[in-house]
Amino acid sequence: MSDVLSSYPLLLRGAWVTIQLTLYGSALALVMAFVFGLIATARSAWLRALGRIYVEFFRGTATLVLMYWFFYALPLVGARFAPMFAAVLALGLNVGAYGAEVVRGAVKAVPKAQYEATVALNMRPGQRLRRVLLPQAIALMLPPFGNLLIELMKGSAVVSLISIADLMLRAQQLRQSTGQTTAVFLVILVMYFVIAQVLQLFVRYLERRADIMLGRRPGRSARSPLDTRLGAAK
Amino acid sequence: MIWDWHFAGSILPDLLRGLVVTVEATLLGYAVALGLGLVWAILRRSPSRIVGQVVRWVVEFIRSTPLLVQLFFLFFALPATGLTLSALVTGVLGLGLHYSAYTSEVYRAGIADVPVGQWEAATALNLPRRRVWAGVVLPQAVRKVIPTLANYLIAMFKDSPLLLAITVPEMLHSAYAVGAKSLRFLEPMTIVGVLFVIVSVLSSFLLRRLEFRYGNN
Amino acid sequence: MATTDSAADAVLPEDGAAGTDGIRFDGVVKRFGDNVVLRELDFSVAAGERVTLIGPSGSGKTTILRLLMTLEKVDDGVIWVDGRSLSHMRRGDRLVPADEKYLRRVRSDIGMVFQQFNLFPNMSVLRNVTEAPVHVLGLSKDEAVERARELLELVGLSDKADAHPGALSGGQQQRVAIARALAMRPKILLQDEVTSALDPELVAGVLDVLRDIANETDITMLCVTHEMGFARDVSNRVLMFDQGQIVEEGTPEKIFSEPENQRTQDFLHAVLDQH
Ligand SMILES: Nc1ncnc2c1ncn2[C@@H]1O[C@H](COP(=O)(O)OP(=O)(O)O)[C@@H](O)[C@H]1O
Ligand SMILES: [Mg+2]
């Protein structure tokens, strides 16, 4: 055990890569979620179909398969990706597809009466969305987004399989150099757990902010029904 | 022409054999997840607070750490305790354990939805605890959450490629092996991707029909 | 959908309705599926007139207001607001279905107060009132705030400007909603049972505000209400609806004191018995 603990700089460097992957991946996922989630609420049937295709395709495939495809298959047709780029792309596109469903569901869950009030005040379609519907929808999105963030962070461990030196890969190296298999994996499991708890605290903080913005009593009682349903979609 | 149809055709049997292993591992893992998740859910309702809290954190721990790391842990740590299992069995246990954290939450929600009156009625009849669970609460709770539980079957299917990391010859593993041998990755990886999308989209379609059926009462 | 002949006929009437101020319904038909809610409805409201719509639940009163607010579309016939059709616009010498840009011009004259207030929960009371003036009318922030404060004073809520809508009583929320609608300087104010969602003791406060507005402005008002005393005080005319048609109309004195139609009498008895 002490062998493992004394190699903490190696593990910390790995953890830092895991955190970076999580940040970049979720940034991309967030953009994809909003773009394709909003497209799915559009009036045009073509746009909606585009949104559907993105969601069905990237939800349908596994992150690891996607990552292997970017990393091993695409270079053969001339598109060569740095491993980190392939990883962020695979994580972001995959989780973004789930996020798009969250965005779509949340925007639709804002009461219709709110939309009607924006029409009565003669707002432009863009203003309706940006000033009234989205701020309320975001409060509904936060709990399922929190789940997706954790999923993305956990999912990032697969990048070790395309030899990115994240926490998981560092653990493999350490296992080989120390032979302390059980200790190594216990330590990094705890590290992943800590990262997940920190992320969760961050999302809880955002949820509290949103509750205050909407004048709801802070607390977990007002969680949206989307939480369990979309969180379950993984 | 970059894409070689002949080559693609020649590797398909290998990949389909991998798909069979993938499906096998998923289904077996799902059975483990359904059973173990139920155990967690019932233990969380245990009269002892300590048991309830411990189980809660165990489940939280399993759920917030990566499946891949858990698989490695089982793969390397179990033999160290003298328990030697095949890669496939280890993979099935790993998948099942990981997803039991999710299914237990689903069961929990279902159990919480059973009206308090049902518990009270069972108590009034002086039913033993075992009968209350098996005869009154679970039948109502489980029926309601079947569609949600089914969601996780698809999720598990998509996580099953991770088993390649512990040398289970599932589909992605086969694709990688073929690719490494021939130095052609485009066809195997693309076929695997397409097969994954086909199976998942088909199964979500079936799932929606299931939801429709169970959602109607 | 191309312009149908019947729509073209209706939109180009002989008597030159275009250019006439106020509201006019011309043979308006509205269906929800097989349910014909309005059948060939004709009526008009002059600019500055205050009209109350009464009638049993389900008779189509809300639908009329929602059609005017462009929240629903007519199935046949035309609604005119200040000489402009709500369903069609002129492009060259052809009539085409109204687009969003055209509708926004028409809507700029119309405001609406809803039964359930529909305040925006993501904004303070003050911002509920300033948001549209700033972003739709293009007022400067200072102008909008000044106007909003005047309006909040008018509705007796000066001290609640920074409060959150959720922290107000129903009556207070409805008064904010009235201020919010007025901030857009509408020529026409639609009110759909604005007091029915309120506890009885809060009704009077809201009605007082509306009475003031009726007395001090020349806004055209179209109110759906079950408050007969209020209707008598503020309206020039009362329309009694049943099953999507006007069964009787007249001055409040006539309708409330000596209704001729049996259905009006029954309806008034039923409403007055409740109070
Ligand atoms: N969105 C809708 N879809 C289907 N039917 C509707 C809808 N809105 C109103 N209706 C029907 O139209 C009729 C008139 O409704 P409404 O205008 O709300 O009446 P009122 O306001 O006089 O009570 C009712 O039969 C109602 O069921
Ligand atoms: Mg109504």
Side-chain angles (χ1 to χ4, degrees):
Chain A
M1 194 74 180
S2 61
D3 278 359
V4 178
L5 291 181
S6 63
S7 339
Y8 72 92
L10 198 66
L11 290 179
L12 283 185
R13 248 183 295 151
W16 175 231
V17 172
T18 293
I19 290 168
Q20 277 178 307
L21 279 167
T22 307
L23 292 182
Y24 300 151
S26 49
L28 176 61
L30 203 61
V31 172
M32 301 313 273
F34 273 94
V35 169
F36 287 96
L38 290 180
I39 273 182
T41 65
R43 226 175 284 159
S44 143
W46 285 107
L47 284 181
R48 284 205 309 271
L50 190 68
R52 249 358 290 155
I53 290 172
Y54 168 76
V55 167
E56 291 297 342
F57 182 80
F58 284 100
R59 254 188 354 177
T61 191
T63 321
L64 184 57
V65 174
L66 205 58
M67 196 156 24
Y68 265 40
W69 196 69
F70 285 143
F71 192 66
Y72 290 111
L74 279 190
L76 301 175
V77 296
R80 190 167 297 279
F81 292 125
M84 190 74 176
F85 189 73
V88 168
L89 212 55
L91 287 169
L93 289 175
N94 196 217
V95 175
Y98 291 102
E101 286 291 89
V102 172
V103 170
R104 184 177 70 98
V107 170
K108 289 204 148 169
V110 176
K112 191 140 186 292
Q114 289 289 312
Y115 165 81
E116 294 180 347
T118 64
V119 174
L121 290 172
N122 212 7
M123 291 186 179
R124 279 193 293 276
Q127 293 174 327
R128 296 172 194 161
L129 198 62
R130 193 157 66 86
R131 306 200 169 274
V132 177
L133 304 182
L134 270 187
Q136 296 179 45
I138 284 172
L140 299 176
M141 293 175 204
L142 282 175
F145 271 177
N147 289 341
L148 288 178
L149 182 62
I150 307 268
E151 291 301 328
L152 192 145
M153 186 280 292
K154 289 193 308 173
S156 76
V158 303
V159 303
S160 61
L161 300 178
I162 55 171
S163 58
I164 293 177
D166 74 331
L167 191 50
M168 173 70 211
L169 190 91
R170 294 297 185 195
Q172 289 279 33
Q173 292 172 348
L174 213 55
R175 182 178 69 82
Q176 274 150 18
S177 64
T178 63
Q180 304 255 347
T181 305
T182 313
V184 168
F185 283 116
L186 269 183
V187 167
I188 70 156
L189 278 172
V190 170
M191 290 177 76
Y192 275 112
F193 180 69
V194 169
I195 296 176
Q197 294 304 309
V198 171
L199 292 176
Q200 212 147 52
L201 282 179
F202 170 65
V203 176
R204 290 275 148 72
Y205 165 77
L206 293 181
E207 284 175 35
R208 264 201 311 279
R209 290 277 307 263
D211 278 345
I212 291 169
M213 174 192 78
L214 293 182
R216 287 199 301 237
R217 225 159 293 290
R220 316 220 8 225
S221 54
R223 299 204 117 190
S224 73
L226 289 171
D227 191 8
T228 41
R229 195 153 48 80
L230 294 168
K234 199 178 154 176
Chain B
M1 180 98 174
I2 304 168
W3 176 271
D4 183 346
W5 281 107
H6 183 72
F7 176 61
S10 74
I11 59 175
L12 197 57
D14 270 352
L15 296 183
L16 288 179
R17 230 168 291 131
L19 179 61
V20 170
V21 177
T22 299
V23 169
E24 238 170 45
T26 305
L27 289 178
L28 292 174
Y30 190 56
V32 173
L34 288 183
L36 199 55
L38 191 56
V39 172
W40 298 137
I42 293 174
L43 284 180
R44 279 206 61 176
R45 283 261 178 166
S46 149
S48 148
R49 271 191 71 96
I50 300 177
V51 173
Q53 283 302 306
V54 167
V55 170
R56 181 182 152 209
W57 283 104
V58 167
V59 168
E60 176 74 14
F61 189 88
I62 298 174
R63 196 164 65 143
S64 50
T65 51
L67 171 60
L68 183 64
V69 183
Q70 293 169 3
L71 287 172
F72 274 117
F73 181 74
L74 293 179
F75 189 63
F76 291 115
L78 282 185
T81 66
L83 189 64
T84 313
L85 301 170
S86 76
L88 181 62
V89 172
T90 310
V92 164
L93 285 182
L95 264 178
L97 179 70
H98 189 74
Y99 275 91
S100 72
Y102 292 89
T103 55
S104 84
E105 286 298 303
V106 178
Y107 287 125
R108 208 165 71 84
I111 292 167
D113 256 10
V114 174
V116 189
Q118 295 289 312
W119 291 92
E120 289 169 350
T123 313
L125 291 172
N126 208 13
L127 288 178
R129 219 179 138 68
R130 186 179 295 269
R131 283 307 304 157
V132 178
W133 277 111
V136 180
V137 175
L138 288 183
Q140 301 183 50
V142 173
R143 195 180 161 75
K144 248 184 271 181
V145 298
I146 285 176
T148 320
L149 285 176
N151 262 318
Y152 286 111
L153 182 59
I154 302 177
M156 285 178 78
F157 173 70
K158 280 178 290 186
D159 261 352
S160 62
L162 294 189
L163 299 192
L164 75 84
I166 56 169
T167 72
V168 175
E170 51 71 60
M171 184 162 52
L172 188 61
H173 190 274
S174 317
Y176 185 79
V178 169
K181 206 164 60 191
S182 60
L183 291 179
R184 290 198 65 101
F185 282 100
L186 181 63
E187 291 85 355
M189 292 300 163
T190 307
I191 294 174
V192 168
V194 169
L195 284 177
F196 258 98
V197 173
I198 290 175
V199 176
S200 334
V201 170
L202 271 184
S203 33
S204 5
F205 175 75
L206 289 177
L207 182 70
R208 251 169 254 150
R209 299 196 44 174
L210 184 77
E211 252 172 50
F212 186 70
R213 187 132 144 242
Y214 283 88
N216 272 0
N217 52 2
Chain C
M1 198 188 70
T3 313
T4 61
D5 282 347
S6 70
D9 290 346
V11 172
L12 297 170
E14 297 297 317
D15 59 5
T20 316
D21 270 2
I23 300 166
R24 213 177 100 187
F25 276 54
D26 251 351
V28 169
V29 175
K30 178 64 190 172
R31 285 184 282 265
F32 290 107
D34 291 340
N35 180 6
V36 184
V37 176
L38 302 180
R39 39 190 102 220
E40 310 244 335
L41 180 63
D42 298 307
F43 74 93
S44 49
V45 175
E49 203 183 4
R50 294 185 295 273
V51 172
T52 299
L53 312 183
I54 61 171
S57 169
S59 57
K61 307 177 302 291
T62 296
T63 303
I64 289 170
L65 299 195
R66 289 173 58 83
L67 283 167
L68 273 166
M69 197 64 256
T70 68
L71 295 170
E72 307 280 356
K73 285 200 175 85
V74 296
D75 291 307
D76 204 352
V78 186
I79 300 173
W80 301 94
V81 173
D82 288 347
R84 284 185 291 214
S85 154
L86 291 192
S87 47
H88 289 79
M89 59 182 197
R90 206 174 276 282
R91 181 172 290 153
D93 49 4
R94 287 191 335 128
L95 283 171
V96 294
D99 65 12
E100 177 66 24
K101 206 172 135 203
Y102 172 87
L103 284 180
R104 290 192 66 236
R105 266 208 312 276
V106 182
R107 276 199 295 257
S108 67
D109 288 345
I110 310 175
M112 181 160 182
V113 185
F114 298 87
Q115 189 172 346
Q116 298 290 345
F117 340 130
N118 301 356
L119 293 181
F120 301 135
N122 55 316
M123 302 175 189
S124 69
V125 163
L126 187 69
R127 256 195 71 200
N128 261 280
V129 185
T130 58
E131 191 73 0
V134 170
H135 297 288
V136 177
L137 300 182
L139 259 56
S140 79
K141 191 123 188 283
D142 292 343
E143 277 175 297
V145 168
E146 194 187 316
R147 240 186 99 57
R149 290 202 185 277
E150 281 168 20
L151 285 166
L152 286 176
E153 182 160 352
L154 176 77
V155 301
L157 290 172
S158 302
D159 53 331
K160 299 290 185 190
D162 298 318
H164 190 280
L168 304 186
S169 74
Q172 292 171 327
Q173 290 192 46
Q174 192 60 293
R175 284 185 274 154
V176 175
I178 293 168
R180 180 175 74 172
L182 290 178
M184 297 300 284
R185 300 179 190 272
K187 290 197 212 152
I188 300 168
L189 189 63
L190 310 173
Q191 302 160 27
D192 189 10
E193 301 197 28
V194 296
T195 55
S196 341
L198 301 180
D199 291 336
E201 72 273 18
L202 302 175
V203 169
V206 171
L207 293 184
D208 285 344
V209 165
L210 290 172
R211 250 188 219 105
D212 287 350
I213 294 165
N215 292 333
E216 288 164 25
T217 69
D218 53 2
I219 295 179
T220 310
M221 283 192 180
L222 213 55
C223 324
V224 175
T225 184
H226 292 308
E227 298 292 334
M228 298 307 164
F230 171 74
R232 192 188 281 264
D233 291 351
V234 302
S235 46
N236 311 114
R237 193 148 56 97
V238 177
L239 305 182
M240 165 72 197
F241 279 84
D242 195 22
Q243 299 181 350
Q245 282 171 324
I246 298 174
V247 295
E248 186 169 3
E249 68 168 291
T251 60
E253 291 74 28
K254 170 177 172 280
I255 298 285
F256 293 130
S257 310
E258 43 205 57
E260 287 165 10
N261 188 289
Q262 186 61 44
R263 279 182 280 181
T264 314
Q265 291 168 10
D266 294 346
F267 173 73
L268 288 174
H269 275 303
V271 172
L272 294 177
D273 281 353
Q274 280 173 9
H275 283 67

